[in-house]
Amino acid sequence: MDDYRNRPKGTFNQQAKAAELYALTQYWKSDLEFYKKDLGFLSELIDNYFIWIAEKEHIDMVRDIEIGLLEIRKQCVDLLEKVTKHRQRLGKWVTDENLEGSRLIRAEHEHLEDEIAGFVKAFRKQRKETFRITEYVVDIEKLSGYLKS
């Protein structure tokens, strides 16, 4: 799945009513909150393994993962803030469908959807890398411990 869309395909963003776009942003917000919690879990996972790591090379690998997680978390928090602001504008539009600037709101909605799609792709890549590095480091450290015994 290369794309992230919680809407019907085609020209939905251009033809949807304000209330439909508003409802869609609730899904975005919910998903982003889930990703934020998952990022917290991944950071905790790294922290729990970090204290057992002895090799400098492995410490550097784990630090790189931590930096990546921090960057992704910042992106998630920024997107949550953008979605909240966008939702407020959509809320005003829901109450007045003739609101000036509806074309701008639709363009913003589409842009935000693309940002979220990019975030989800980056999140999945970072999550996969976190598990890969964690598994590798733990296995190597265990093996090193066995050999020293």
Side-chain angles (χ1 to χ4, degrees):
M1 184 172 172
D2 287 339
D3 212 354
Y4 174 81
R5 302 285 189 246
N6 262 339
R7 62 161 171 85
K9 292 182 179 188
T11 58
F12 177 78
N13 283 337
Q14 291 77 32
Q15 296 174 351
K17 294 182 181 187
E20 293 171 319
L21 295 176
Y22 184 84
L24 185 56
T25 60
Q26 182 57 40
Y27 289 110
W28 293 352
K29 187 177 178 204
S30 176
D31 286 351
L32 288 168
E33 287 170 349
F34 173 80
Y35 290 129
K36 185 178 170 186
K37 286 180 183 175
D38 201 26
L39 286 164
F41 165 77
L42 293 172
S43 292
E44 235 179 84
L45 179 71
I46 292 295
D47 289 345
N48 288 338
Y49 284 115
F50 191 76
I51 60 175
W52 301 106
I53 298 173
E55 301 291 324
K56 181 174 176 6
E57 174 191 351
H58 300 152
I59 290 171
D60 292 342
M61 291 171 81
V62 172
R63 262 200 206 116
D64 290 344
I65 290 295
E66 285 182 314
I67 290 168
L69 287 171
L70 287 173
E71 289 170 359
I72 293 290
R73 184 176 177 82
K74 183 184 180 320
Q75 190 179 2
C76 185
V77 169
D78 289 347
L79 279 171
L80 271 167
E81 190 175 305
K82 287 179 182 180
V83 167
T84 299
K85 288 177 183 176
H86 180 65
R87 235 173 115 70
Q88 290 169 347
R89 283 191 278 285
L90 280 170
K92 290 177 186 171
W93 188 29
V94 166
T95 59
D96 181 9
E97 286 273 345
N98 297 319
L99 182 70
E100 193 66 33
S102 64
R103 190 176 310 135
L104 182 65
I105 292 171
R106 286 182 189 279
E108 179 183 78
H109 188 86
E110 225 170 278
H111 178 73
L112 197 51
E113 184 177 58
D114 290 341
E115 277 190 72
I116 291 170
F119 164 78
V120 170
K121 194 173 189 176
F123 170 84
R124 289 177 178 160
K125 182 179 177 185
Q126 184 65 46
R127 189 172 200 273
K128 187 176 179 179
E129 184 68 5
T130 299
F131 281 120
R132 188 184 71 75
I133 294 296
T134 303
E135 185 176 40
Y136 170 77
V137 169
V138 168
D139 287 347
I140 294 297
E141 291 283 328
K142 277 184 187 174
L143 180 60
S144 175
Y146 290 137
L147 293 176
K148 289 178 184 176
S149 299

